[in-house]
Amino acid sequence: MPAAAGSADPDPLITGVQDWQRYLGDGVDKRPYGLPSKFEKHIVRRDVGWLTASAESSVNFTPLHELDGIITPSGLCFERHHSGVAEIDPGSHRLMINGLVDRPLVFTMDDIKRMPRVNKLYFLECAANSGMEWRGAQLNGCQFTHGMIHNVMYTGVSLKVLLDEAGLRPNAKWLMLEGADAAGMNRSLPLEKALNDVLIAFAMNGEALRPEQGYPLRAVIPGWEGNLWVKWLRRIEAGDQPWQTREETSKYTDLLADGRSRKHTFIMDAKSVVTNPSPQAPLKYKGRNVLSGLAWSGRGSIKRVDVSLDGGRNWQTARIDGPVLDKSLARFYVDFDWSGQEMMVQSRAMDSTGYVQPSKDELRKVRGVNSIYHNNGIQTWLVRSGGETENVEIG
């Protein structure tokens, strides 16, 4: 409980008149587009300068430890670019469908917005999320170890609707998605997935896509690695085999211990992380506390999250609160009392297919340590007696 509870001395912050009660605030004309309070200005995306050669091909990270619930605010969604942010006039943007189709087509943004719409809440995770941790604990903060993820409501059109307009030929088995950025980002997509649940989105969280999230049009590939979610989408070509692009051969492939690479590792497996306490959110008070975290799976929905406070020797089932949706983040909590003892905090997710998140040792026995992609091993935070928390590894 608060230190002042039950105190005989009055608290002037509750009994006195504060400065902000003495004068009028800004009127509505000063707030044409809402912004967070100035007291929340520290809650921002952050980058790690040495990760890439330049900012145009870099990444910044969602501040997971500062958020709650399951919706990521649009202004805090992590960024990953290959040639910087493309600034595109939607009136001049076009989407072409060509290749193995009966009717090659070009759509304007107005064409797309006149088609039947869908709204879906999905997570987007970069395949390299947690990638620096394959050889051991390195980055001290869940913003940096797990922050290449966000979860938003997308509005758009089912890709199947567009493909039906063009008329796929019987020998079409794959699609190639291409972006309008300077890198011409492109990836191969199996037709089976495209016809299942892929969206072509023009809005997120109720408003137009942000420029850094692909404005005015992007692909949404639920449950699959973020590199496939081509931003600034300009072309979809139908073919009979994958294109073997740069981003699916020399990059975004998982190198095994024996030098071979795993092929087409599209799905993001079940994963979780405790966001509070964590290195950027240490424990401040003894007594009542709330442990909080996120869990997700590209194969379905989250069914259970277990939490350990002693490095995996004992586990308890966390309370999941809020919507639990297919291929979306789930929020979990454990209410606990802390007396100042050291803790080894872990979380372990199970999804609707029965898949259980592995330990890092279990993952490395199969995968080795040569990859930087698809690391979904259990994260460990060491909470010290003073509340300070750090990234450690115990398997």
Side-chain angles (χ1 to χ4, degrees):
M1 297 296 292
S7 172
D9 297 325
D11 183 347
L13 291 177
I14 190 66
T15 60
V17 177
Q18 307 306 313
D19 285 345
W20 50 84
Q21 297 174 286
R22 301 178 189 275
Y23 53 84
L24 296 176
D26 290 339
V28 294
D29 58 325
K30 298 290 184 68
R31 300 276 192 273
Y33 192 92
L35 295 173
S37 164
K38 65 181 181 181
F39 300 105
E40 304 294 317
K41 64 182 180 182
H42 60 288
I43 303 177
V44 294
R45 298 179 288 210
R46 301 183 189 277
D47 68 350
V48 177
W50 49 265
L51 281 180
T52 59
S54 71
E56 291 79 14
S57 61
S58 192
V59 60
N60 59 26
F61 301 84
T62 301
L64 298 178
H65 61 291
E66 298 283 9
L67 305 180
D68 217 321
I70 64 171
I71 300 293
T72 311
S74 296
L76 294 176
C77 291
F78 86 96
E79 300 176 70
R80 169 70 168 106
H81 309 307
H82 295 260
S83 57
V85 177
E87 294 285 352
I88 297 176
D89 177 354
S92 300
H93 189 67
R94 301 290 184 268
L95 173 63
M96 180 168 121
I97 298 181
N98 69 329
L100 296 179
V101 295
D102 295 329
R103 297 173 297 279
L105 297 172
V106 174
F107 299 95
T108 67
M109 289 299 300
D110 286 342
D111 292 334
I112 293 170
K113 290 182 178 180
R114 290 187 295 115
M115 294 179 174
R117 297 186 188 181
V118 291
N119 294 279
K120 295 289 185 178
L121 186 63
Y122 291 125
F123 77 83
L124 186 166
E125 182 181 18
C126 180
N129 202 22
S130 310
M132 296 303 297
E133 306 293 302
W134 272 106
R135 295 176 182 268
Q138 289 199 49
L139 300 175
N140 211 29
C142 69
Q143 180 170 16
F144 304 115
T145 59
H146 290 72
M148 295 170 72
I149 189 170
H150 55 68
N151 201 59
V152 305
M153 177 70 77
Y154 291 99
T155 302
V157 175
S158 169
L159 176 53
K160 184 179 184 300
V161 170
L162 299 176
L163 295 175
D164 286 347
E165 291 261 338
L168 289 165
R169 293 182 180 173
N171 56 333
K173 303 297 180 186
W174 287 79
L175 303 178
M176 188 272 287
L177 280 58
E178 179 184 270
D181 56 334
M185 249 297 301
N186 60 348
R187 282 294 303 262
S188 301
L189 177 69
L191 187 59
E192 181 180 8
K193 175 67 172 176
L195 296 176
N196 180 24
D197 58 3
V198 172
L199 304 181
I200 304 303
F202 48 81
M204 57 185 280
N205 288 344
E207 62 180 1
L209 294 167
R210 297 291 175 96
E212 67 269 26
Q213 301 299 333
Y215 179 87
L217 200 64
R218 77 168 307 157
V220 173
I221 321 290
W224 287 23
E225 64 183 22
N227 186 253
L228 281 155
W229 297 46
V230 174
K231 294 182 288 189
W232 312 292
L233 184 68
R234 67 174 297 272
R235 188 166 71 93
I236 300 172
E237 181 176 348
D240 59 2
Q241 57 188 325
W243 271 255
Q244 307 295 350
T245 72
R246 174 185 182 272
E247 305 301 334
E248 59 202 41
T249 53
S250 70
K251 305 296 181 184
Y252 295 94
T253 53
D254 308 321
L255 189 63
L256 299 173
D258 61 6
R260 293 180 301 153
S261 292
R262 300 168 75 210
K263 187 177 182 180
H264 299 324
T265 54
F266 300 131
I267 297 175
M268 304 305 294
D269 285 316
K271 190 172 179 180
S272 66
V273 64
V274 172
T275 60
N276 306 79
S278 63
Q280 295 164 287
L283 286 180
K284 297 180 180 178
Y285 305 104
K286 293 181 181 178
R288 179 187 296 175
N289 279 280
V290 177
L291 177 149
S292 179
L294 292 165
W296 59 96
S297 174
R299 298 186 184 274
S301 59
I302 292 297
K303 287 300 182 186
R304 195 179 84 203
V305 180
D306 294 330
V307 168
S308 176
L309 303 181
D310 57 9
R313 289 188 292 273
N314 297 283
W315 295 89
Q316 59 182 303
T317 300
R319 175 173 57 89
I320 296 177
D321 194 78
V324 179
L325 303 171
D326 185 58
K327 302 176 183 68
S328 174
L329 294 186
R331 173 65 64 174
F332 63 87
Y333 299 102
V334 172
D335 302 312
F336 70 104
D337 288 320
W338 182 59
S339 60
Q341 75 275 23
E342 285 198 349
M343 298 187 297
M344 290 278 196
V345 178
Q346 298 179 327
S347 62
R348 179 179 64 193
M350 178 186 292
D351 69 20
S352 53
T353 71
Y355 178 95
V356 179
Q357 181 183 0
S359 70
K360 291 186 178 180
D361 278 351
E362 290 171 332
L363 198 60
R364 288 174 183 137
K365 286 178 182 177
V366 177
R367 301 274 304 281
V369 295
N370 291 329
S371 181
I372 59 172
Y373 304 112
H374 295 274
N375 182 353
N376 69 319
I378 291 173
Q379 174 67 49
T380 306
W381 304 128
L382 168 61
V383 179
R384 298 197 178 276
S385 58
E388 303 88 351
T389 305
E390 61 185 88
N391 181 6
V392 299
E393 189 156 318
I394 56 176

